[in-house]
Amino acid sequence: MAKIDVDENVVKTLRSIGALKEAAIQESVGEEVSRCGMCQWHCRIQKGGVGHCRTVINYQGLLYTTIYGVISSAAADPIEKKPVFHYKPGSLCFSVGTLGCNFRCVFCQNWQIAYADAIDYASLPKGPGERSCNTNVNPQMLVELARKYQCQGVAWTYNEPAI
């Protein structure tokens, strides 16, 4: 996996917005290498490295997700845009997604967020006209937003949800 320079200021920023969280599924496989179990890649990430998805880092020997509670995109979409279009035809579904992806599809319609590097993203200033995300989003908030927009369900979309 790629080697990166995990800047202390970036880590501080990610922590301050609640996006940095120790990865739930990891295994130490060497003195400075850990294996990520978040998706099918099972990346072996060296200290200071990043996984294939570009959202899991090895910081000081432990793996951390850099996108915990981060929503890059959200929309109330017609259910007909989803693979479950037979469920409640004519209804709305609350679609959400985050940064990064563990796939690299050449036909990706959401490449701006799916190929985004969460480390670089954290170091960008957030101002008018610049990329920004909602952070510290939890499941209850998603349900409340879905209800607010009269959606009949919630779908993870825009990127692969395993990360």
Side-chain angles (χ1 to χ4, degrees), residues 70-74 96-100 113-114 121 132-134 158-159:
V70 175
I71 299 297
S72 67
S73 303
V96 294
T98 190
L99 297 169
I113 58 173
Y121 176 81
S132 63
C133 291
N134 293 316
Y158 309 122
N159 62 343

Side-chain angles (χ1 to χ4, degrees), residues 40-59:
Q40 78 281 5
W41 285 97
H42 299 285
C43 295
R44 294 170 57 100
I45 307 173
Q46 292 185 19
K47 189 174 178 181
V50 62
H52 182 75
C53 65
R54 311 284 301 163
T55 65
V56 176
I57 61 171
N58 184 327
Y59 176 65

Side-chain angles (χ1 to χ4, degrees), residues 36-131:
C36 179
M38 301 291 272
C39 76
Q40 78 281 5
W41 285 97
H42 299 285
C43 295
R44 294 170 57 100
I45 307 173
Q46 292 185 19
K47 189 174 178 181
V50 62
H52 182 75
C53 65
R54 311 284 301 163
T55 65
V56 176
I57 61 171
N58 184 327
Y59 176 65
Q60 298 181 341
L62 291 175
L63 298 184
Y64 291 86
T65 177
T66 61
I67 55 170
Y68 185 81
V70 175
I71 299 297
S72 67
S73 303
D77 288 327
I79 194 70
E80 286 77 13
K81 288 178 67 177
K82 306 296 173 204
V84 291
F85 61 89
H86 300 333
Y87 176 76
K88 298 201 177 199
S91 69
L92 295 174
C93 185
F94 195 64
S95 300
V96 294
T98 190
L99 297 169
C101 191
N102 55 350
F103 296 148
R104 290 292 178 261
C105 306
V106 295
F107 53 83
C108 182
Q109 297 177 17
N110 305 303
W111 63 269
Q112 296 94 332
I113 58 173
Y115 291 11
D117 184 320
I119 300 295
D120 289 340
Y121 176 81
S123 63
L124 291 175
K126 309 300 186 286
E130 298 197 32
R131 292 192 307 179

